[in-house]
Amino acid sequence: MAMFSQNPIMNGPNYSFSDTPKVNAPEGARQHRFDPYTDNGGSTLAIAGKDFTIMAGDTRLTSGYSINSRYHPKVFKIGGTTADQKDASIVLSVVGFAADGEALKERLDAICKMYRYRHGKAMSVKACAQRLSTILYQKRFFPYYTYAILGGLDEEGNGAVYSYDPVGSYEREQCRAGGAAASLIMPFLDNQVNFKNQYVPGSGEGHALQERPRNPLSRTEVEILVKDAFDGAVERHIEVGDGLQMMVITKDGIEEILLPLKRD
Amino acid sequence: MDHRPQAWGRPRDDIYGAYDGSYLQTTGPKQNTQAPVVTGTSVVALKFKDGVVIAADNLASYGSLARFTDVKRLRVFLDTSVVGFGGDVSDMQYLDRHLNELAIDESYETDPSAPDAGALNAANLHKYLQKLMYKRRNDFDPLWNQILVAGLDSGSKPFLASVDLRGTAFSSPSLASGFGAALAQPIMRKYAATEEDAAKLSREDAVKVVQECMKVLYYRDARSMDKYSIAVVTKEGVELKEDEQLEKQSWAFAERIRGYGTQTV
């Protein structure tokens, strides 16, 4: 090599491409300016009833001030035998970063389908809820930027709602709102579902006040509540609107309802 | 004569001294595309009764410089779908080569004599591109594009969907990337606000609306050009025209503009 080279210094970089300085970076080390996340807006809502659960979400997909799509569902049936999810009994809603939401949905669906194949029965909501938490926590240091809510019926047939943060903390609740308008809808739910700050009229003063007794709401009451919650959110939040998608889970299956919302 | 090809076209050592490579980065992390360089602007597309119209101009900009004026940003896939690219042109060319490879593999594996025997349709192609883009964003090595896929789905219904550099995918009766999202979408939504409206739109009207959008974009998008490509995808196949010229432009409307558009006096 040296006898053909006009280059007197052979310890420096030479002409050949193979002689150009190697970038010796530790494997996998990355420096980045690219932001892998965006917020695609939208809002979700789940309420558990005595023998049903309603999962709802608006269908708008935004990016900044633009509406990307007026129909992009956020509520999905999970773990049916086939792709059409005809025999599914669990519903997942995802809101936040849409690409992560879809990836999360597809992973949970695949896992539920594998469970059904291996065990010959559908996954319970309780098991599915624990598994979803694990999936989210597995990506603790590059999280799925989504607020997920899982809904279905528990072993006793009661409505069950599990809510999550992006890294997998979860709890079972009566109701939960997620996404852009969560802070607008949640206080309304506290008051209307859990009867917070509602007292029996004339029952006393101060600590003597009696709380309004909490009895479970009927399906029609909850459906109206959901619609009212979203109509309110649409008025006050620009990222919410276009359409309202509702999934009603009962022992007879899942019923899907689509209602219009304001498109402004 | 120096017979070593590696030395051709480089400064000679006996005159300029040995090459000083000290400025070259030798350590540090591996760098990926962190910003687009040569870019294409908007892509606009609109569904109609029995297909989709899609258009993009033929300009590739280098920042604010109109660098390449004959770059085709619409690409036909398997004679059944059209992919429109906005954003980085080198990433577009990479995807173009990749899709070529995919199309060749696909053609070998499917029997052309059987009517649409498992050939990839636009919906399949869009899902494929979405997975690809999302994988690249997970690797922090994104393909810096906004992609529109036009064609037909498995039920031979018009299909139009988009995917961006983060793998976010969505569908709508009309779609526009980049500046078009602000300028072309409002025009197209006047004619096709819903899927039902789009299903009533004729091919001629759809083409006219898209051409109007290209004109508006040329008026107001400083990174655009009056030469453009337009494609119509239907069950019959793809009709692609790559050297269209915008016609009958006039700034006569400009003197009537007051304020930002809502002002009347």
Side-chain angles (χ1 to χ4, degrees):
Chain A
M1 180 65 189
M3 63 185 288
F4 296 111
S5 177
Q6 295 172 352
N7 192 342
I9 307 158
M10 283 308 294
N11 54 358
N14 210 332
Y15 288 136
S16 168
F17 289 120
S18 60
D19 288 336
T20 53
K22 290 281 182 302
V23 176
N24 38 20
E27 193 53 48
R30 298 288 157 98
Q31 189 186 347
H32 29 256
R33 216 176 67 202
F34 164 66
D35 179 7
Y37 294 114
T38 41
D39 184 1
N40 296 112
S43 231
T44 55
L45 169 56
I47 299 173
K50 191 165 166 41
D51 53 357
F52 65 92
T53 297
I54 296 191
M55 304 279 291
D58 70 320
T59 63
R60 180 176 286 184
L61 185 88
T62 65
S63 144
Y65 287 129
S66 302
I67 296 171
N68 280 337
S69 177
R70 295 195 192 277
Y71 185 69
H72 187 89
K74 290 185 237 306
V75 190
F76 308 100
K77 295 177 191 173
I78 289 289
T81 315
T82 49
D84 60 25
Q85 308 283 8
K86 217 177 276 170
D87 56 348
S89 56
I90 298 173
V91 173
L92 173 75
S93 72
V94 281
V95 66
F97 174 41
D100 274 352
E102 188 158 335
L104 180 66
K105 173 209 93 185
E106 284 181 7
R107 261 187 77 186
L108 188 69
D109 187 42
I111 285 165
C112 288
K113 280 181 164 59
M114 281 308 294
Y115 182 101
R116 192 189 275 270
Y117 174 64
R118 283 186 182 144
H119 297 93
K121 62 174 184 185
M123 214 171 185
S124 68
V125 228
K126 196 179 173 183
C128 194
Q130 174 59 57
R131 190 65 183 90
L132 178 55
S133 168
T134 316
I135 294 168
L136 288 165
Y137 195 78
Q138 274 175 349
K139 270 173 72 70
R140 175 61 180 81
F141 298 107
F142 184 27
Y144 286 118
Y145 217 114
T146 53
Y147 292 88
I149 304 174
L150 197 71
L153 300 176
D154 66 10
E155 281 94 337
E156 279 86 55
N158 301 316
V161 164
Y162 292 87
S163 68
Y164 298 79
D165 79 348
V167 291
S169 308
Y170 79 115
E171 71 176 319
R172 185 174 169 180
E173 290 178 298
Q174 271 306 114
C175 65
R176 171 59 70 179
S183 57
L184 278 70
I185 298 176
M186 206 58 217
F188 171 71
L189 256 37
D190 287 338
N191 183 248
Q192 292 295 309
V193 178
N194 292 323
F195 298 153
K196 290 285 159 64
N197 287 40
Q198 292 200 58
Y199 299 96
V200 178
S203 60
E205 269 175 26
H207 290 298
L209 268 175
Q210 258 184 329
E211 282 184 15
R212 177 179 165 189
R214 267 197 275 160
N215 34 16
L217 299 166
S218 73
R219 179 181 158 175
T220 39
E221 278 178 305
V222 174
E223 275 182 39
I224 292 165
L225 217 55
V226 169
K227 181 67 166 54
D228 286 350
F230 272 92
D231 282 335
V234 165
E235 287 297 323
R236 289 291 184 175
H237 203 115
I238 56 168
E239 290 172 353
V240 183
D242 293 330
L244 173 60
Q245 186 197 15
M246 269 200 266
M247 297 260 203
V248 187
I249 310 143
T250 59
K251 64 177 187 336
D252 305 317
I254 303 171
E255 192 186 325
E256 188 172 352
I257 302 166
L258 268 170
L259 296 168
L261 288 176
K262 279 173 76 168
R263 290 155 69 91
D264 58 2
Chain B
M1 156 89 193
D2 191 338
H3 54 83
R4 297 172 309 149
Q6 308 97 299
W8 297 349
R10 291 169 187 261
R12 281 166 55 178
D13 283 4
D14 51 345
I15 292 170
Y16 297 101
Y19 183 71
D20 177 13
S22 61
Y23 80 95
L24 288 166
Q25 191 190 9
T26 54
T27 54
K30 177 179 177 292
Q31 302 241 336
N32 296 312
T33 316
Q34 300 299 318
V37 182
V38 178
T39 57
T41 181
S42 325
V43 186
V44 297
L46 175 62
K47 278 197 217 177
F48 64 95
K49 193 153 40 101
D50 29 39
V52 188
V53 195
I54 181 167
D57 68 21
N58 294 351
L59 179 67
S61 309
Y62 178 70
S64 59
L65 173 71
R67 183 63 184 83
F68 305 105
T69 53
D70 195 22
V71 175
K72 311 299 187 328
R73 299 194 287 122
L74 298 186
R75 181 202 192 284
V76 180
F77 182 80
L78 285 175
D79 297 320
T80 54
S81 315
V82 177
V83 189
F85 295 92
D88 194 279
V89 170
S90 62
D91 284 349
M92 171 185 85
Q93 289 166 341
Y94 164 81
L95 279 164
D96 182 47
R97 290 193 298 275
H98 185 79
L99 290 179
N100 256 328
E101 226 171 278
L102 184 71
I104 291 167
D105 289 351
E106 205 59 28
S107 302
Y108 271 112
E109 281 166 25
T110 51
D111 178 12
S113 61
D116 55 278
L120 284 183
N121 60 38
N124 301 145
L125 176 64
H126 174 256
K127 195 64 156 187
Y128 181 90
L129 286 170
Q130 186 206 336
K131 298 274 170 183
L132 180 71
M133 299 294 270
Y134 186 66
K135 198 255 171 204
R136 291 291 292 257
R137 91 110 216 184
N138 281 341
D139 294 344
F140 277 97
D141 188 12
L143 293 166
W144 216 286
N145 298 105
Q146 166 89 257
I147 302 170
L148 262 55
V149 183
L152 301 167
D153 64 12
S154 53
S156 293
K157 289 254 175 15
F159 176 88
L160 174 62
S162 159
V163 60
D164 70 4
L165 70 163
R166 295 183 180 87
T168 315
F170 49 87
S171 173
S172 185
S174 63
L175 284 174
S177 70
F179 234 91
L183 292 180
Q185 272 286 44
I187 298 170
M188 292 192 287
R189 281 178 182 163
K190 262 204 290 202
Y191 297 91
T194 61
E195 293 286 346
E196 292 75 48
D197 294 341
K200 280 183 228 143
L201 211 59
S202 75
R203 175 191 173 135
E204 291 69 35
D205 289 344
V207 170
K208 234 180 267 170
V209 171
V210 169
Q211 281 170 338
E212 179 68 15
C213 289
M214 293 308 287
K215 199 192 280 186
V216 171
L217 282 166
Y218 178 54
Y219 281 140
R220 290 298 185 182
D221 180 0
R223 309 293 172 253
S224 70
M225 201 180 51
D226 54 349
K227 243 171 52 186
Y228 67 100
S229 307
I230 188 165
V232 182
V233 203
T234 56
K235 228 177 277 180
E236 278 67 53
V238 178
E239 274 175 58
L240 173 64
K241 288 184 274 188
E242 289 189 315
D243 289 298
E244 294 294 281
Q245 180 78 34
L246 281 180
E247 278 159 359
K248 295 200 275 284
Q249 297 139 73
S250 161
W251 280 99
F253 68 88
E255 62 178 331
R256 292 192 302 275
I257 295 177
R258 298 284 180 275
Y260 290 100
T262 48
Q263 203 173 319
T264 48
V265 281

